[in-house]
Amino acid sequence: MNMPRQPGVPHPRLPLPEGQPEDLAAFHRWLSEAIPMVKALGISNVTHQGDTLTWQLALAPNLNDKGTGFGGALTAQTTLQGWCWVTLWLRERGIARDVVVAEASQRFLAPVTGDYHLACRPTESEGPAQLANKLAERGKGRIALTQQLYCGETLCLEASSSYAVLPQS
């Protein structure tokens, strides 16, 4: 049985996939243990194709007092998804490093009125190559990501974020 998380105690890293495709279900299980609030976010399906990480999410656990998506929960989801994008990108390359959010902003465009999906991708197509170069040159780097939340065909939220890959400790 897993012990509850304790403040100030890092959660053990998930072993790198070592040349195998990432098991996204195992990653999601690990993430739910590493970051306890993940269990409450309503993430039901995770896919990673090309440079896009997509999540399907249920509205029910993320409701506000008006019966639509709670902005704080949606913001947490976009921030977490960007962190996951960078972490998975590093893991695909056999790199185990700490990732932190450096900047994040959101634009709420329409209310979220039903289950939704969230897609994360690099803001600039050359972003991943630039991050790889910075990691090789300096041992650390940053990447800008964009997250878009759709309820059906309606774009409800667009987030911009920057994540830092910290130097090896």
Side-chain angles (χ1 to χ4, degrees), residues 80-155:
L80 177 66
Q81 190 185 42
W83 181 90
C84 288
W85 189 99
V86 178
T87 299
L88 289 167
W89 183 88
L90 290 166
R91 289 175 57 75
E92 286 174 0
R93 286 149 186 81
I95 302 169
R97 288 300 228 355
D98 286 331
V99 175
V100 296
V101 61
E103 296 178 52
S105 64
Q106 300 78 32
R107 287 184 33 227
F108 295 88
L109 306 168
V112 177
T113 58
D115 293 349
Y116 52 98
H117 71 274
L118 188 57
C120 178
R121 61 185 57 87
T123 302
E124 298 175 2
S125 60
E126 62 275 2
Q130 291 173 345
L131 177 58
N133 288 339
K134 289 291 183 191
L135 289 172
E137 292 170 7
R138 301 178 57 216
K140 62 182 181 176
R142 281 175 72 150
I143 187 166
L145 301 173
T146 300
Q147 297 89 7
Q148 294 179 310
L149 185 155
Y150 286 89
C151 188
E153 298 296 317
T154 304
L155 177 61

Side-chain angles (χ1 to χ4, degrees), residues 4-26:
R5 292 294 320 275
Q6 298 296 315
V9 178
H11 191 70
R13 288 186 194 273
L14 184 65
L16 291 170
E18 297 188 21
Q20 301 296 317
E22 186 75 55
D23 179 344
L24 293 176

